[in-house]
């Protein structure tokens, strides 16, 4: 990454994450096709819902013929963490129009959020619409195209796990976490490592007591609170 916030820099910054979108997007297309959705509906789901893991949940609920309200509520819960992410980046776009803020908030993903947090370390805590919107659009269209490819391949690939496609997203997040660790100079490295350990423990314990749809949101709130306390007390 560099300190530029233009379209060219955004494309360069986003390219490493594209492979993650492709892997998991193709996996969704294959799964969607295997559950009986047409290629058109698979792509339409990616274009309208655009929510990664929530789309897998949605497909499962469709197959189970769940009530519409159950689907809406489930997808909302899985995606509720996006509220926290949008709130976090909103302060960098206070001078932008409402429409631009809506575009940024509507298309933000886990990956584009992680990229933006890493980018801040190179730009002196600055973001702009051109850079963030390019990152979001690349993710959006890559996801839709990958879903289409997966749907087309759906008749040939009956089990995406055999090809390791389910691990693509995990691998991408490990890479983003590593970039965040080595580039964030504003937070002590030991504190970051401690918080990673605490977060892993919280996730492990939370899996026992908290529904998976709420786990990420709850763990995020608790980990953020603990991080603030530890930073002010010891670092």
């Amino acid at each position: 990454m560099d300190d530029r916030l233009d379209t060219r820099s955004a494309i360069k910054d986003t390219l490493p994450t594209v492979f993650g979108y492709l892997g998991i997007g193709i996996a969704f297309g294959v799964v969607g096709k295997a559950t009986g959705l047409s290629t058109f509906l698979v792509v339409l789901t990616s274009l309208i819902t655009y929510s990664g893991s929530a789309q897998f949940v949605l497909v499962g609920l469709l197959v189970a013929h769940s009530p519409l309200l159950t689907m809406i509520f489930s997808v909302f819960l899985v995606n509720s963490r996006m509220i926290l992410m949008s709130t976090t980046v909103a302060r960098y776009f206070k001078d932008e129009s409402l429409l631009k803020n809506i575009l940024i908030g509507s298309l933000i993903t886990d990956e584009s959020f992680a990229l933006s947090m890493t980018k801040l370390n190179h730009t002196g805590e600055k973001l702009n619409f051109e850079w963030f919107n390019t990152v979001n659009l690349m993710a959006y269209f890559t996801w839709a195209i990958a879903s289409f490819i997966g749907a087309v391949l759906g008749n040939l690939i009956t089990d995406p796990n055999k090809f390791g496609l389910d691990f693509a997203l995990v691998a991408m997040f490990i890479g983003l976490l590593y970039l965040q660790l080595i580039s964030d100079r504003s937070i002590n490295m030991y504190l970051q490592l401690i918080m990673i350990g605490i977060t892993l423990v919280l996730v492990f314990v939370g899996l026992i007591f908290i529904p998976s749809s709420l786990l990420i949101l709850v763990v995020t709130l608790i980990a953020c609170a603990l991080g603030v306390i530890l930073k002010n007390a010891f670092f």
Side-chain angles (χ1 to χ4, degrees), residues 182-225:
I182 63 174
S183 60
D184 191 344
R185 307 177 187 91
S186 63
I187 301 177
N188 187 285
M189 174 66 77
Y190 291 113
L191 175 59
Q192 294 189 61
L193 293 174
I194 290 171
M195 287 313 304
I196 290 173
I198 289 176
T199 302
L200 291 175
V201 172
L202 287 173
V203 170
F204 181 77
V205 176
L207 283 170
I208 302 173
F209 303 102
I210 305 172
S212 57
S213 58
L214 288 173
L215 181 63
I216 295 177
L217 181 63
V218 173
V219 169
T220 299
L221 292 173
I222 295 175
C224 286

Side-chain angles (χ1 to χ4, degrees), residues 123-142:
T123 60
E125 296 291 311
K126 294 180 181 177
L127 293 174
N128 67 13
F129 178 78
E130 179 183 355
W131 181 87
F132 213 133
N133 191 50
T134 303
V135 171
N136 278 343
L137 289 177
M138 279 188 66
Y140 182 68
F141 288 112
T142 301

Side-chain angles (χ1 to χ4, degrees), residues 15-184:
L15 277 178
T17 68
V18 164
F19 297 101
Y21 289 119
L22 285 173
I24 202 69
I26 290 174
F28 170 72
V30 172
V31 171
K33 192 70 175 179
T35 54
L37 295 180
S38 66
T39 301
F40 174 75
L41 286 179
V42 167
V43 176
L44 191 63
T45 302
S46 289
L47 289 173
I48 296 177
T49 307
Y50 186 47
S51 57
S53 56
Q55 288 183 216
F56 287 91
V57 174
L58 177 62
V59 167
L61 293 173
L62 282 171
V63 172
H65 302 291
S66 300
L68 180 60
L69 283 178
T70 301
M71 297 182 197
I72 295 174
F73 190 62
S74 299
V75 171
F76 173 76
L77 285 179
V78 173
N79 281 333
S80 55
R81 67 189 184 282
M82 297 301 169
I83 298 173
L84 295 177
M85 296 180 190
S86 299
T87 303
T88 301
V89 301
R91 61 193 174 105
Y92 299 105
F93 300 96
K94 289 180 179 177
D95 297 329
E96 300 289 355
S97 67
L98 177 62
L99 176 60
K100 289 183 177 179
N101 274 276
I102 290 175
L103 282 173
I104 293 292
S106 299
L107 296 179
I108 194 170
T109 66
D110 297 293
E111 298 80 3
S112 64
F113 174 77
L115 276 178
S116 69
M117 293 299 102
T118 303
K119 190 70 175 180
L120 288 172
N121 301 317
H122 300 269
T123 60
E125 296 291 311
K126 294 180 181 177
L127 293 174
N128 67 13
F129 178 78
E130 179 183 355
W131 181 87
F132 213 133
N133 191 50
T134 303
V135 171
N136 278 343
L137 289 177
M138 279 188 66
Y140 182 68
F141 288 112
T142 301
W143 177 256
I145 292 170
S147 298
F148 171 75
I149 295 172
V152 172
L153 295 175
N155 293 326
L156 304 175
I157 303 175
T158 56
D159 185 5
N161 292 339
K162 290 181 179 178
F163 296 85
L165 296 178
D166 56 323
F167 189 70
L169 197 60
V170 178
M172 182 174 63
F173 277 119
I174 292 174
L176 290 172
L177 177 61
Y178 173 72
L179 287 176
Q180 178 71 17
L181 273 176
I182 63 174
S183 60
D184 191 344

